[in-house]
Amino acid sequence: VSMLPLPHGRQPRLQVEYAHAASPRALLAEDALAVFGFGCDEAGLDDPRYLRVPLQPFRTAANATAPYEVWHANAPVEHGRDDGIRWATDGQLLFGAIEVDENPEAGGVEAAAAIAYARLVAFTRRSGTPHLLRIWNYLDAITLGEGDAERYRAFCVGRAKGLGDFDAQRLPAATAIGRCDDARVVQVYWLAARTPGLPVENPRQLSAYRYPRQYGPQSPSFARAMLPPPGSTMPLLLSGTASVVGHASQHEGELLAQIDETFANFDSLLAAARERAPSLPARFGSGTRLKVYVRDRDDLPTVAEALDRRFGNTVPRVLLHAAICRRELAVEIDGVHG
Ligand code: 3EB
C-alpha cells in the first residue's frame, strides 16, 4: 500500500451530503473522501474517489436530477488504486471499493464475495485505518435461487469465508442489496478508521449474526449500527433496516406497515445507541441522511409520499430502486444520524 503518512493529530470527521451537480468532478473537493453517482446511465468519472452505484434513483418533478452522495472528511485526502481496490484516506478514515466479476465456472457469487472480502480485509488490515466501521454490498438477482441455493445465502457464505476468523461482536454495520442492472458483479465499498467504533445491536431484533438456520447455512455478518470512534465528528452509521422483528419478516404485502415497522426498529436502535452516546438526537432530523431502497418500481411514489408525510423536508433522503434480500420485504432503509 503506497499511502503516504498523513497527519494523525486530528479527530476523524465525516459529513454525508446529497448534492446536485452537473458532473461529479465539481464535487471532488480537497476534503472529498468519496463521491457516489446512482443509476445505470450515470456516466461517471475516472477517479478512485468516485463510485458509480448501480441502483436507479427515483426522480420526481421536484428532483429531476439524481443527487450525488458526497463524503466529506478532513482535507487533504490522498487516493489511489492497489490490487483492484480504489481507496482514499485522510489519515483518519479510509474509503475503499472493490468490484469482483462472478464466474459461474469458479464458484459464482459465493466465490466472488469471498475474493472481495479477503482482499478488503487484507488491504484494510495493513492500512493505517484497520478498523472496519461500515460496508455496503450490491449484488445482482439477490433472491434468485431456492433454499440454500439462493444467491443472498451464497453471498453470506462467501462473505464469511473472506472475513476469515472474525469476532461477531466486532462486525461492522452493513447493507446488502440487489442491484438492478443485470451485471453479475459483486460491488463492495466500505468505510474504515484508525481507531475502532462501537457496534450497536437492536433490542427489537435478533442480532443478524445469530439468525437461526432457517435463513441459510451462514448467518449474515453485520452489526445493526456502528457508533463512530470516541471524539470524532461523525454520525451514527445505520445498517440496512427493514420490517424484521426478532428474526421474522413482518407485514408481508403491506408496504405502509413495513415502513412503520422499519421506523419502529430505528427508534429502538437509536435508543440503544443513545445509552452509549447520549448527545445523539433521539429523533431523525436535519443531521440524518437516509437511503431508501424499494423493491418494486411501482411502489416508489407511495414510499416517497409516506416519507413526505413522516418527515416533510426535514430529513434529506434518496430513494433507490433495489431488491431487498428477503422476497417478502418491500423496503429497506439505511443511513447516517448525528
Ligand atoms: C435484515 O434485517 C435485513 O447481509 O449485510 C440488512 C442489512 C440485511 C445488512 C447484510 C442484510 C444485511 O436481516 C437484511
Side-chain angles (χ1 to χ4, degrees):
V1 186
S2 57
M3 290 179 200
L4 300 175
L6 288 164
H8 285 158
R10 288 172 299 181
Q11 294 299 325
R13 165 182 181 260
L14 180 74
Q15 196 191 319
V16 176
E17 175 198 17
Y18 298 139
H20 291 267
S23 128
R25 187 174 301 282
L27 301 169
L28 286 172
E30 251 222 315
D31 72 350
L33 193 66
V35 173
F36 304 89
F38 299 100
C40 303
D41 37 3
E42 166 60 26
L45 182 67
D46 186 28
D47 185 294
R49 293 166 294 170
Y50 175 78
L51 190 67
R52 186 184 75 87
V53 171
L55 307 177
Q56 207 59 30
F58 179 55
R59 295 185 180 84
T60 59
N63 246 350
T65 59
Y68 293 97
E69 179 175 336
V70 186
W71 291 1
H72 297 280
N74 291 312
V77 167
E78 295 277 334
H79 52 88
R81 290 184 166 90
D82 274 287
D83 194 22
I85 290 169
R86 53 176 79 192
W87 57 265
T89 185
D90 67 353
Q92 297 289 339
L93 297 177
L94 170 92
F95 161 72
I98 185 168
E99 291 173 321
V100 178
D101 289 338
E102 293 179 28
N103 178 350
E105 272 89 62
V109 66
E110 179 187 321
I115 291 166
Y117 269 78
R119 279 156 73 181
L120 173 172
V121 164
F123 178 89
T124 305
R125 224 173 246 159
R126 68 180 196 261
S127 75
T129 49
H131 300 285
L132 285 166
L133 299 179
R134 182 70 172 88
I135 307 188
W136 289 258
N137 308 277
Y138 296 129
L139 54 144
D140 187 43
I142 191 161
T143 55
L144 188 72
E146 291 308 313
D148 288 347
E150 187 187 54
R151 284 169 51 81
Y152 173 63
R153 296 186 183 193
F155 165 82
C156 287
V157 173
R159 167 169 58 183
K161 278 187 184 156
L163 283 170
D165 248 344
F166 63 89
D167 177 354
Q169 321 259 7
R170 292 183 185 211
L171 283 166
T175 298
I177 282 284
R179 54 194 289 167
C180 41
D181 62 347
D182 294 331
R184 293 293 165 102
V185 179
V186 174
Q187 181 185 64
V188 181
Y189 68 86
W190 66 97
L191 177 71
R194 203 166 62 83
T195 49
L198 184 68
V200 181
E201 290 301 308
N202 191 334
R204 284 184 102 228
Q205 300 186 296
L206 185 66
S207 293
Y209 52 79
R210 299 209 168 107
Y211 279 176
R213 177 65 182 82
Q214 71 195 83
Y215 298 99
Q218 171 62 57
S219 57
S221 312
F222 69 96
R224 296 294 180 185
M226 181 66 76
L227 274 167
S232 61
T233 312
M234 285 179 71
L236 174 70
L237 306 165
L238 304 162
S239 287
T241 302
S243 178
V244 172
V245 178
H247 57 76
S249 304
Q250 310 288 318
H251 317 295
E252 180 164 3
E254 296 175 77
L255 178 62
L256 294 176
Q258 287 199 15
I259 293 172
D260 288 345
E261 199 72 70
T262 300
F263 284 109
N265 279 334
F266 278 132
D267 285 344
S268 145
L269 185 58
L270 286 193
R274 277 164 45 82
E275 286 176 18
R276 302 305 190 90
S279 62
L280 212 58
R283 304 184 60 88
F284 285 167
S286 59
T288 307
R289 305 283 180 270
L290 298 180
K291 287 216 291 272
V292 182
Y293 305 92
V294 180
R295 168 180 281 273
D296 289 327
R297 201 188 301 272
D298 293 347
D299 283 343
L300 279 160
T302 312
V303 175
E305 283 160 25
L307 294 169
D308 288 348
R309 281 196 299 276
R310 185 177 288 269
F311 295 123
N313 55 13
T314 58
V315 176
R317 52 193 178 263
V318 176
L319 271 66
L320 299 164
H321 178 218
I324 322 300
C325 64
R326 291 188 193 179
R327 285 163 220 205
E328 67 278 12
L329 294 175
V331 61
E332 182 174 312
I333 302 175
D334 71 16
V336 303
H337 174 67

